[in-house]
Amino acid sequence: QALSDESLKAEDRKTIADLHKSLDALFDHARLPDGALLLDRLRLALALKCLRTPNLEKRLQGLSEVKDMIQLSLRKQEYLDSVERIERANAERERRPHRSGGTGVLLQMGHSSPE
């Protein structure tokens, strides 16, 4: 059933946020492979509905929702970029040749090599 402008106007921000949290938990529990994508699409559809309503408060709410989703997306991308940098650095360290013999261990521990 379509959400009318009047129905949307009656819903407060907390109710909509609670709906998002409930759906997120449901999708996570159901282990839907595209759960996050489905929830993002729902949030965007609802934000668009808010943006198109004649009610200023709801239009601002829709704009805020889009802004929040963009910020979340940027944080996720920054996290993924940092994980990738760490993985590359670890792979590079593993490719470097290691010193053989006991002197490397002694030097690492702050001792001089035996002569």
Side-chain angles (χ1 to χ4, degrees):
Q1 179 179 350
L3 185 64
S4 71
D5 289 340
E6 284 304 312
S7 296
L8 181 62
K9 186 178 177 181
E11 297 303 328
D12 66 351
R13 184 173 241 174
K14 183 180 179 335
T15 302
I16 293 173
D18 288 346
L19 173 66
H20 290 158
K21 287 179 186 176
S22 297
L23 288 173
D24 188 33
L26 176 68
F27 289 158
D28 186 49
H29 184 70
R31 302 209 187 283
L32 293 175
D34 296 330
L37 180 61
L38 293 171
L39 187 58
D40 285 347
R41 285 182 177 171
L42 175 68
R43 289 177 68 186
L44 286 171
L46 188 55
L48 180 59
K49 179 74 175 169
C50 287
L51 288 168
R52 290 182 172 166
T53 189
N55 182 285
L56 177 61
E57 182 182 341
K58 292 301 171 186
R59 289 198 313 263
L60 292 174
Q61 185 178 337
L63 187 59
S64 178
E65 181 68 19
V66 171
K67 183 185 92 168
D68 290 347
M69 290 185 71
I70 291 169
Q71 289 175 340
L72 179 62
S73 178
L74 290 172
R75 284 194 310 267
K76 284 180 182 178
Q77 189 59 49
E78 288 171 0
Y79 171 76
L80 293 173
D81 290 346
S82 68
V83 167
E84 186 178 326
R85 279 193 306 275
I86 290 168
E87 288 175 347
R88 278 195 310 250
N90 287 340
E92 181 62 31
R93 258 188 241 116
E94 289 176 8
R95 275 186 251 138
R96 289 188 201 137
H98 296 284
R99 292 186 178 181
S100 60
T103 57
V105 173
L106 291 174
L107 290 174
Q108 287 177 354
M109 295 175 59
H111 300 289
S112 59
S113 61
E115 294 183 35

